[in-house]
Amino acid sequence: MNRKVKIIACNIALVTVLSACNLPGGQAPAGQDENGDGQPPVQEVATNTPELPLAPSNTPQPTLTFTPQVPMVSVSVDTNCRTGPGEPYDIVGVLHVGESAEVVGQAPYGGSWIIKNPDGPGTCWLWDQYAAVIGNTQGLPIYDIPPTPTPAASFTVAYLSMVNCMGWFAFRFQLTNNGSVTWESFKVDVTDSSTSVTKTYTDDVFMDAGPTCIITNTLMDLTPAETGVTGNWYGGMFGYNPAGHNMTATFTLCSQNGLAGQCISKSTSFTP
């Protein structure tokens, strides 16, 4: 073969090799893999990797707070509930620690809540010093302050004993204030029905001279629920022994010194 024929044969072989490398789709000839290592092609298999659970979070979860539809009140100290705001008004109930009551109104200038009486029908005024209210109070009505009640004036008197002060005779009486007025002064008229003799004694203090005619106790006034002892001392004594006589003592107690202010009288009969 001459040289020219050899060149043509080499060119044909080269074209054949290049055509094999440029097959459509870039596929390798049958019997070969894409890696050219003579091994069958390895197919990739999809795997589902399980997801690991999320680590617990340390972030605190919000706490839901119950808000009542109507405002409710509780107290940290047992608190009286009155007919109005303050001590001049009567006590009609008590809200105890651990109890709660519905709030239905508010005072014009604060200081009190009007609540459903925890101890009876109707409503009462609760001092807000120890009160805690939950719920919306903006729509509550404002209550007018009721008139101050007229204080109840009362007392009781009881005969205790007779005292002989060196030939002068006096009587000891127990007075108990069972009303709401403080007594500041008194007068006692003691009448011996057997002799028609009356002795009078007045004072701005309540003194007890005791069985030996020596002052043992003195009260400047007689406050509500207080008990004191006094008698017809000094110029109110009898100059003779009235033992066995029918006696009457009439006490007049007044809310101010000098027998002024509000006064009421009570009588008791006794035989020394």
Side-chain angles (χ1 to χ4, degrees):
M1 181 180 298
N2 58 32
R3 184 178 178 181
K4 182 176 182 180
V5 174
K6 289 181 180 180
I7 292 174
I8 293 172
C10 289
N11 289 337
I12 294 172
L14 180 60
V15 171
T16 302
V17 173
L18 293 176
S19 297
C21 293
N22 294 313
L23 292 176
Q27 298 180 355
Q32 297 184 6
D33 65 1
E34 294 180 352
N35 297 323
D37 56 4
Q39 299 297 324
V42 179
Q43 295 182 352
E44 295 183 0
V45 180
T47 59
N48 294 325
T49 303
E51 295 182 358
L52 296 177
L54 296 177
S57 174
N58 293 326
T59 303
Q61 299 298 317
T63 301
L64 298 179
T65 302
F66 171 73
T67 301
Q69 295 182 351
V70 295
M72 302 293 292
V73 63
S74 59
V75 290
S76 58
V77 175
D78 293 347
T79 305
N80 293 328
C81 204
R82 300 175 179 270
T83 57
E87 292 185 354
Y89 297 88
D90 295 333
I91 298 173
V92 293
V94 179
L95 188 63
H96 296 280
V97 174
E99 293 181 337
S100 61
E102 180 180 343
V103 182
V104 298
Q106 52 189 325
Y109 307 107
S112 296
W113 296 105
I114 294 85
I115 67 172
K116 288 186 176 180
N117 190 347
D119 295 324
T123 61
C124 55
W125 294 58
L126 182 78
W127 189 30
D128 69 355
Q129 177 70 26
Y130 306 107
V133 177
I134 58 174
N136 185 6
T137 61
Q138 293 183 354
L140 291 176
I142 296 177
Y143 278 55
D144 293 330
I145 297 177
T148 303
T150 301
S154 183
F155 70 93
T156 59
V157 55
Y159 168 73
L160 294 179
S161 62
M162 183 173 69
V163 178
N164 184 351
C165 299
M166 295 183 295
W168 290 91
F169 295 85
F171 307 102
R172 298 171 64 241
F173 301 91
Q174 178 177 283
L175 300 175
T176 300
N177 187 346
N178 56 0
S180 55
V181 173
T182 295
W183 302 117
E184 301 284 353
S185 61
F186 76 95
K187 178 181 75 167
V188 57
D189 298 304
V190 181
T191 300
D192 184 346
S193 300
S194 301
T195 61
S196 299
V197 174
T198 298
K199 294 292 184 176
T200 299
Y201 175 74
T202 64
D203 209 334
D204 290 340
V205 295
F206 299 82
M207 296 186 302
D208 181 15
T212 59
C213 295
I214 298 175
I215 300 300
T216 58
N217 190 26
T218 299
L219 294 177
M220 300 306 297
D221 51 32
L222 200 62
T223 60
E226 190 172 26
T227 296
V229 177
T230 192
N232 55 317
W233 312 121
Y234 306 115
M237 295 182 179
F238 288 81
Y240 61 92
N241 188 348
H245 294 192
N246 294 325
M247 312 292 291
T248 299
T250 300
F251 273 86
T252 300
L253 271 59
C254 297
S255 61
Q256 297 179 18
N257 289 336
L259 299 178
Q262 183 179 2
C263 300
I264 61 172
S265 299
K266 294 261 180 100
S267 298
T268 185
S269 297
F270 62 98
T271 300

